[in-house]
Amino acid sequence: MATRAPLVISVPEPVYADGLADVDGVESVVWDLRAPHERQAEFRLVVPRYISVPPAERLQGLPALEVVQLLTAGYDSVLPVMPDGVTLCSGGGIHDASTAELALTLTLASLRSIPQHVMAQAQESWAPQRIWGALADKRVLVVGYGRIGHAIVRRFAPFEVSLTVVASRARAGDDLVERVHGIDELSGLVACADVLVVIVPLTDSTHGLVDADLLARLPDDALVVNVARGAIIDTDALVQACATGRIRAAIDVTDPEPLPPGHPLWRTPGVLITPHVGGATSAMAPRAAALLRRQVEALRDGTPLINVIER
Amino acid sequence: MATRAPLVISVPEPVYADGLADVDGVESVVWDLRAPHERQAEFRLVVPRYISVPPAERLQGLPALEVVQLLTAGYDSVLPVMPDGVTLCSGGGIHDASTAELALTLTLASLRSIPQHVMAQAQESWAPQRIWGALADKRVLVVGYGRIGHAIVRRFAPFEVSLTVVASRARAGDDLVERVHGIDELSGLVACADVLVVIVPLTDSTHGLVDADLLARLPDDALVVNVARGAIIDTDALVQACATGRIRAAIDVTDPEPLPPGHPLWRTPGVLITPHVGGATSAMAPRAAALLRRQVEALRDGTPLINVIER
């Protein structure tokens, strides 16, 4: 078999080039797409920097370009700069493990009173013995059952909880749940949700999905967990519902974001806030490397790409 | 069939009597064993209060007594007061879910930097974007593979970690691990433990098991999690190892306990402390009720009791 010209691609950081170094027939060039590159006419696949939108004219100047491969699951901001005839692939999957893990972390930290224990530790104060809260036996409702929702449910499963899931449309169950409820059933289901985990994409129909009415339907002492986007919850309604002490929240995303100093959410009782750290962890790089490897091998071999965005 | 006299037992709180109300042929009397009871000659099974030792003379004064059923997994303190010929049953299993859940909570809270986020929230400060730590991809070593150890491993399994377990003796694996390593392999195994979870009983051989030498063998950035007993770790060695920033710890038990104000462990960097809250949670009561039901039905029917302590 004759030697073929290598598939030349660009990656935003040396770590990704290193991860692809042993892939036969692929040459990775480190390029951040900010300034023109002397080899840009060769690039058939480019990987923009994490959470960046490349300049439209830069992508237009790549005559061999076939694929833009993102490192984020979201892609809306890149759509306007995509040249015609070029395939856009999302980074879906790269953040699943990390985000699902944070949903469990926020749930457990809140239900097991870690914020109180952290504050008591700073005071060098050992709390008197009493009966504390726990996750076991709770009824957990996961709203959003895509890949991250599935990863969340898989992690909840061994904790001796009952699990109910909601997706945009009702469908049959799988190895983890008996059935998947439709979003139209949500307002009825929340009445039995001790833990409500939100992991739906932000769209016109999910904006403000968790509003004052839905929060009012939650049982007493319920916990709202958001690892999706802040605007899915009505922030004012959440502050009011938590301020009474009736429900609690543990959220990685806020609206507005970043949450400005002085915003009432910071000091609302029973609210635990992390600063949008769901995806940006040590779990990201190896999963990004595995996805890039899979995609460049597919492009090299002419087999189907995954995570292709229809547009 | 002739009506038989009911099995009369004592329970320490009304909630347990309520839980047994529908068990045929069993009458539950609420009694805390502090003062004599007018029906004490009838009690064939007694349940002392949670974490209490009944007076020896009280137990001696129960002529029908066959079984003392504890609500704690530990039983050493009750052995000296047990009358001859009476069976002692531990509350083993009641706290498994809650304690295993706390092991995951401590691990996740520490690795996902929840203490830092709690402190930042108190300052109304949104942390700048960076790459944070995570549990995914970590090598988890669980030392102690009884029922709680097993419950811990089951909860770690979906988190995309590698799991290794150590018990007192090496044996074949199960549905969760390929094999169970013996405690003699511990000092070699810790060199690959990003997370070291301790859940062994406190005995002469486990006292100080995690000492300066073992801590020194842990890889950089390792996390030590203790949900067993404080004295299994050499506290001074732990303070020294964490103070350098080389390793971290997340512990529910301390030595001494309660940890007094001014003890250096309170303010050692990278140490998260909870005040021995592993077992005393909302998960306890339903599991205690289920165990009591199982045991009184066995005593009523003449079938074998579980959790019988050999003495």
Side-chain angles (χ1 to χ4, degrees):
Chain A
M1 186 173 160
T3 302
R4 297 175 52 189
L7 166 63
V8 184
I9 70 165
S10 82
V11 293
E13 292 179 55
V15 63
Y16 298 114
D18 295 347
L20 296 169
D22 65 335
V23 181
D24 285 338
V26 174
E27 183 182 358
S28 305
V29 177
V30 177
W31 184 39
D32 63 10
L33 283 97
R34 283 192 247 214
H37 191 283
E38 58 182 5
R39 297 189 61 186
Q40 69 183 38
E42 299 174 63
F43 299 145
R44 290 173 55 200
L45 178 149
V46 298
V47 182
R49 283 176 300 126
Y50 180 55
I51 313 183
S52 77
V53 179
E57 67 274 18
R58 192 77 61 238
L59 294 178
Q60 297 291 350
L62 306 178
L65 187 64
E66 294 172 47
V67 180
V68 173
Q69 173 64 55
L70 302 179
L71 295 175
T72 52
Y75 53 82
D76 285 16
S77 58
V78 179
L79 286 175
V81 303
M82 285 296 296
D84 288 344
V86 174
T87 300
L88 177 63
C89 294
S90 82
I94 292 176
H95 306 288
D96 295 2
S98 183
T99 305
E101 185 183 303
L102 186 67
L104 271 287
T105 304
L106 288 170
T107 302
L108 288 166
S110 182
L111 294 179
R112 296 303 293 250
S113 309
I114 295 298
Q116 292 94 306
H117 297 315
V118 168
M119 290 303 186
Q121 182 176 347
Q123 304 294 320
E124 305 192 2
S125 167
W126 188 271
Q129 199 181 47
R130 70 167 177 92
I131 301 295
W132 298 83
L135 171 59
D137 304 333
K138 293 290 190 294
R139 299 163 296 176
V140 178
L141 175 62
V142 177
V143 181
Y145 201 50
R147 34 205 304 176
I148 300 180
H150 199 269
I152 289 172
V153 170
R154 185 172 296 286
R155 284 161 176 75
F156 268 113
F159 281 90
E160 304 182 27
V161 294
S162 71
L163 282 160
T164 306
V165 302
V166 168
S168 49
R169 267 183 289 272
R171 58 181 192 259
D174 54 25
D175 58 321
L176 292 169
V177 292
E178 271 184 42
R179 61 198 181 106
V180 178
H181 295 266
I183 192 79
D184 51 307
E185 301 172 69
L186 179 60
S187 70
L189 290 169
V190 293
C192 296
D194 299 311
V195 180
L196 172 68
V197 181
V198 180
I199 184 62
V200 287
L202 180 60
T203 64
D204 288 347
S205 62
T206 63
H207 194 283
L209 176 72
V210 180
D211 57 10
D213 177 63
L214 207 76
L215 293 172
R217 292 170 183 267
L218 287 166
D220 285 352
D221 293 321
L223 173 69
V224 177
V225 177
N226 189 358
V227 287
R229 286 293 179 269
I232 292 163
I233 299 181
D234 178 332
T235 301
D236 291 345
L238 186 69
V239 168
Q240 286 184 27
C242 292
T244 66
R246 201 184 76 77
I247 67 167
R248 291 169 288 172
I251 55 180
D252 185 45
V253 287
T254 59
D255 175 30
E257 188 175 309
L259 197 64
H263 192 287
L265 193 58
W266 281 119
R267 293 191 177 269
T268 302
V271 176
L272 169 61
I273 301 171
T274 54
H276 204 145
V277 296
T281 72
S282 57
M284 176 187 164
R287 286 161 185 75
L291 176 63
L292 291 188
R293 169 179 294 258
R294 191 236 168 271
Q295 300 287 68
V296 299
E297 288 178 348
L299 186 60
R300 178 196 66 191
D301 301 341
T303 57
L305 297 159
I306 59 169
N307 288 1
V308 173
I309 305 302
E310 302 285 335
R311 55 193 186 95
Chain B
M1 186 174 162
T3 302
R4 296 176 54 189
L7 166 63
V8 185
I9 71 164
S10 82
V11 293
E13 291 179 55
V15 63
Y16 297 115
D18 295 347
L20 297 169
D22 65 335
V23 181
D24 286 338
V26 174
E27 183 182 356
S28 306
V29 176
V30 177
W31 185 39
D32 63 9
L33 283 99
R34 284 191 247 213
H37 193 282
E38 58 182 7
R39 297 189 61 185
Q40 69 184 35
E42 300 173 62
F43 298 146
R44 291 172 56 199
L45 179 148
V46 297
V47 182
R49 283 175 300 126
Y50 180 56
I51 313 183
S52 77
V53 179
E57 67 275 19
R58 192 77 61 236
L59 293 178
Q60 298 291 348
L62 306 178
L65 187 64
E66 295 173 48
V67 180
V68 173
Q69 173 64 56
L70 302 179
L71 295 176
T72 53
Y75 53 82
D76 285 16
S77 58
V78 179
L79 286 174
V81 302
M82 284 297 296
D84 288 344
V86 174
T87 300
L88 178 63
C89 295
S90 81
I94 292 177
H95 306 287
D96 295 3
S98 183
T99 305
E101 185 183 302
L102 187 67
L104 270 287
T105 304
L106 288 170
T107 302
L108 288 166
S110 182
L111 293 179
R112 296 303 293 250
S113 308
I114 295 297
Q116 293 94 305
H117 296 315
V118 168
M119 291 302 187
Q121 182 175 348
Q123 304 294 320
E124 305 191 2
S125 166
W126 189 271
Q129 199 180 47
R130 70 168 177 92
I131 301 294
W132 298 83
L135 170 59
D137 304 334
K138 293 290 189 295
R139 300 162 296 176
V140 178
L141 176 62
V142 177
V143 182
Y145 201 50
R147 34 204 306 175
I148 300 180
H150 199 269
I152 289 171
V153 171
R154 185 172 296 286
R155 284 161 176 75
F156 268 112
F159 280 91
E160 303 181 28
V161 295
S162 70
L163 282 159
T164 306
V165 303
V166 168
S168 49
R169 268 182 289 273
R171 57 179 193 260
D174 53 25
D175 58 321
L176 293 169
V177 292
E178 272 185 42
R179 62 199 181 105
V180 178
H181 295 266
I183 193 79
D184 53 305
E185 301 172 70
L186 180 60
S187 71
L189 290 169
V190 293
C192 296
D194 299 311
V195 180
L196 172 68
V197 181
V198 180
I199 185 61
V200 288
L202 180 60
T203 66
D204 287 349
S205 63
T206 62
H207 193 284
L209 175 73
V210 181
D211 58 10
D213 177 62
L214 206 75
L215 293 173
R217 291 170 184 267
L218 287 166
D220 285 351
D221 292 322
L223 173 68
V224 177
V225 177
N226 189 359
V227 287
R229 287 293 179 271
I232 292 162
I233 300 181
D234 179 331
T235 301
D236 291 345
L238 186 69
V239 168
Q240 285 183 28
C242 291
T244 65
R246 201 184 77 77
I247 66 167
R248 291 169 288 171
I251 54 180
D252 186 46
V253 287
T254 59
D255 176 28
E257 188 175 309
L259 198 65
H263 192 288
L265 193 57
W266 282 119
R267 294 190 177 271
T268 302
V271 176
L272 170 62
I273 301 171
T274 54
H276 203 145
V277 297
T281 71
S282 57
M284 176 188 164
R287 284 159 187 77
L291 178 63
L292 293 187
R293 169 179 293 260
R294 192 237 167 269
Q295 299 288 67
V296 299
E297 288 178 347
L299 186 60
R300 178 196 64 189
D301 301 341
T303 56
L305 297 158
I306 59 169
N307 288 1
V308 173
I309 304 302
E310 303 285 335
R311 52 192 189 96

